[in-house]
Amino acid sequence: MKIAILSRGKRLYSTKRLREACVARGHDVNVLDTLDFSINVEQGKPGLIYKNKNITDFDAVIPRIGSSITFFGAAVLRQFEEMGMFCLNSSLGIITSRDKLRSIQLLARHNIGFPQTIFVKQKKTILPAIEKIGGAPVVIKLLEGTQGIGVILADTNKVAEAIIETLHSTKQNVLIQKFIKESKGRDVRAIVVGNKVVAAMRRVAQGDEFRSNVHRGGKVENVELDERFERTAIRAAQIMGLNVAGVDMLEGASGPQVMEVNSSPGLEGIERASGVDVAAKMVEFLEEQSDFPEIDLRQRLTLDKGYGVAEFHILKNSELISKTIENAGFREKDIVIMSIKRGTKMISNPKSTREILEDDSLLCFGKLENMKSLVIQKRKNRKRRKSFDVRKI
Ligand SMILES: Nc1ncnc2c1ncn2[C@@H]1O[C@H](COP(=O)(O)OP(=O)(O)O)[C@@H](O)[C@H]1O
Ligand SMILES: [Mg+2]
């Protein structure tokens, strides 16, 4: 295959390792500096120009987009996607995961642990917010910080308030997070490739530092992940829409607490700690998947007249409970159930004989009018008590 690695530096450890892994597996590979592209937006003919040459013939792209160039890097990647080339991580996944608030807002929809978090803007709302999450000590974070920079532990409510006010005055957005004491300066990073955790490490903060980032002097060691951590890491990567991710988790009293999902995880620490050739795993996955470029499902599906995607949540008095999909009449209304979320389980492409249960979330594709009428009708029947929620997505 002909593979492009988007990276700001040929000599960066992870870039070098990925390049070696591509060569070792017989691929033709080029490292291209993300900032040297021009994006040529033309109707029906998306183009990319790199150092005066048109880019046409890559089979796959490995993006390594640093946080300082997220906007431009994601735009370049989006253009590769538009040109039908397979990208190991999608531009949307990268943008979504880079914002720490947006990430946990998404995780919160699912059964995934994360430190209690609150986000405020106005001075008068700061102290109540700190109190809401149990008071100091609290962690204060810049939304797009990295390598531990922009993550602060505040010991008292007053200090926390002063720090947040100061950051607000410099137009920074910050989130306030419960400090997970019991993790004791240790966290776990799991590298997800596809639907598997391929390597994991524990990072231990040194001295009185609470941040375990390698760039803050954290020491790495090998760790055998228990199943809960593995499952959480895989789900978190999937929710972000990332094929490759480094998922950072604290060891909370109630299990794994996801802090962030990294779309360009560094390979040095993890390869050293785990002894796994992570770069090779990534390239192997690229080979398996390159024939299936990601498509923007929502955009493609909703273009047709009046069709769309919606999610129904089955509440406790719904008439659909205990009916099979067939008997519930979805098909007649031109609605297809694509998946059912049931607790922590996901039932993809459910058979028509499958029963609908209370608290299921049905992800449906179909005529929007019919989906709407289904909800409105139920609302009327039940007066103000909706028998299911609907969310158009
Ligand atoms: N809520 C928290 N409780 C305890 N430690 C935390 C918490 N949030 C972050 N940390 C520590 O700070 C480090 C950096 O935080 P993280 O959110 O991953 O930001 P960055 O993107 O800068 O790595 C983590 O690896 C962890 O050691
Ligand atoms: Mg981190």
Side-chain angles (χ1 to χ4, degrees), residues 93 101 181 235 237 276 307 312 324 347 358:
L101 178 63
K181 263 203 276 324
R235 286 290 284 147
V276 176
Y307 280 81
F312 296 91
T324 61
I347 305 161
E358 180 186 333

Side-chain angles (χ1 to χ4, degrees), residues 23-296:
V23 172
R25 299 181 66 85
H27 301 297
D28 184 2
V29 55
N30 286 322
V31 177
L32 309 176
D33 186 336
T34 318
L35 292 188
D36 281 342
F37 281 93
S38 306
I39 301 169
N40 184 22
V41 187
E42 225 178 291
Q43 192 135 49
K45 278 194 288 177
L48 275 168
I49 301 157
Y50 186 75
K51 299 191 171 159
N52 293 326
K53 285 224 292 267
N54 281 319
I55 293 277
T56 48
D57 55 350
F58 285 101
D59 300 302
V61 180
I62 302 179
R64 301 285 306 175
I65 311 287
S67 61
S68 58
I69 61 156
T70 303
F71 184 84
F72 190 76
V76 170
L77 198 60
R78 206 176 303 122
Q79 196 74 350
F80 272 110
E81 289 162 6
E82 288 304 317
M83 291 161 74
M85 293 180 217
F86 178 78
C87 301
L88 187 54
N89 272 337
S90 69
S91 55
L92 186 63
I94 293 171
I95 288 175
T96 308
S97 59
R98 196 128 295 164
D99 175 335
K100 291 188 166 88
L101 178 63
R102 187 170 175 183
S103 308
I104 53 171
Q105 281 179 310
L106 281 181
L107 295 179
R109 268 196 215 161
H110 302 265
N111 209 352
I112 302 254
F114 55 88
Q116 195 182 353
T117 302
I118 195 152
F119 183 63
V120 294
K121 196 78 189 162
Q122 302 250 54
K123 178 172 166 29
K124 62 174 187 239
T125 54
I126 299 176
L127 260 185
I130 294 169
E131 277 153 16
K132 170 99 183 136
I133 58 167
V138 290
V139 176
I140 299 164
K141 285 187 195 182
L142 296 183
L143 288 202
E144 300 208 358
T146 178
Q147 303 179 347
I149 302 165
V151 179
I152 306 161
L153 180 60
D155 281 327
T156 68
N157 291 4
K158 273 278 155 220
V159 170
E161 188 188 27
I163 293 171
I164 295 163
E165 248 187 87
T166 309
L167 290 167
H168 279 169
S169 74
T170 63
K171 306 257 179 310
Q172 300 273 11
N173 280 318
V174 290
L175 49 82
I176 316 168
Q177 206 163 66
K178 200 176 177 71
F179 176 52
I180 309 296
K181 263 203 276 324
E182 63 271 24
S183 201
K184 299 191 187 91
R186 300 162 356 141
D187 70 1
V188 165
R189 167 165 288 190
I191 303 288
V192 177
V193 176
N195 289 326
K196 279 200 256 347
V197 170
V198 298
M201 65 175 169
R202 170 167 289 131
R203 302 182 301 183
V204 186
Q206 299 298 296
D208 55 6
E209 177 60 70
F210 79 104
R211 296 164 300 178
S212 56
N213 301 68
V214 176
H215 287 92
R216 305 271 72 78
K219 293 273 173 287
V220 300
E221 53 189 55
N222 191 22
V223 66
E224 197 58 46
L225 276 197
D226 89 31
E227 206 216 316
R228 281 179 316 166
F229 278 80
E230 252 190 42
R231 218 178 329 119
T232 301
I234 294 166
R235 286 290 284 147
Q238 284 172 341
I239 292 164
M240 293 301 129
L242 293 170
N243 289 317
V244 171
V247 183
D248 292 348
M249 293 168 281
L250 290 164
E251 299 167 75
S254 56
Q257 309 273 301
V258 175
M259 282 177 295
E260 63 162 348
V261 183
N262 296 277
S263 57
S264 295
L267 300 183
E268 190 167 8
I270 192 82
E271 291 195 331
R272 190 153 34 89
S274 67
V276 176
D277 186 344
V278 176
K281 301 270 182 204
M282 287 164 64
V283 178
E284 222 171 280
F285 177 80
L286 194 71
E287 291 162 8
E288 289 163 16
Q289 300 291 315
S290 63
D291 291 337
F292 295 103
E294 198 118 352
I295 57 162
D296 185 338

Side-chain angles (χ1 to χ4, degrees), residues 360-378:
D360 279 352
S361 276
L362 315 181
L363 185 62
C364 300
F365 170 68
K367 257 238 168 336
L368 285 171
E369 270 313 298
N370 292 350
M371 293 205 260
K372 252 190 245 159
S373 70
L374 208 56
V375 178
I376 291 161
Q377 191 189 332
K378 300 290 162 190

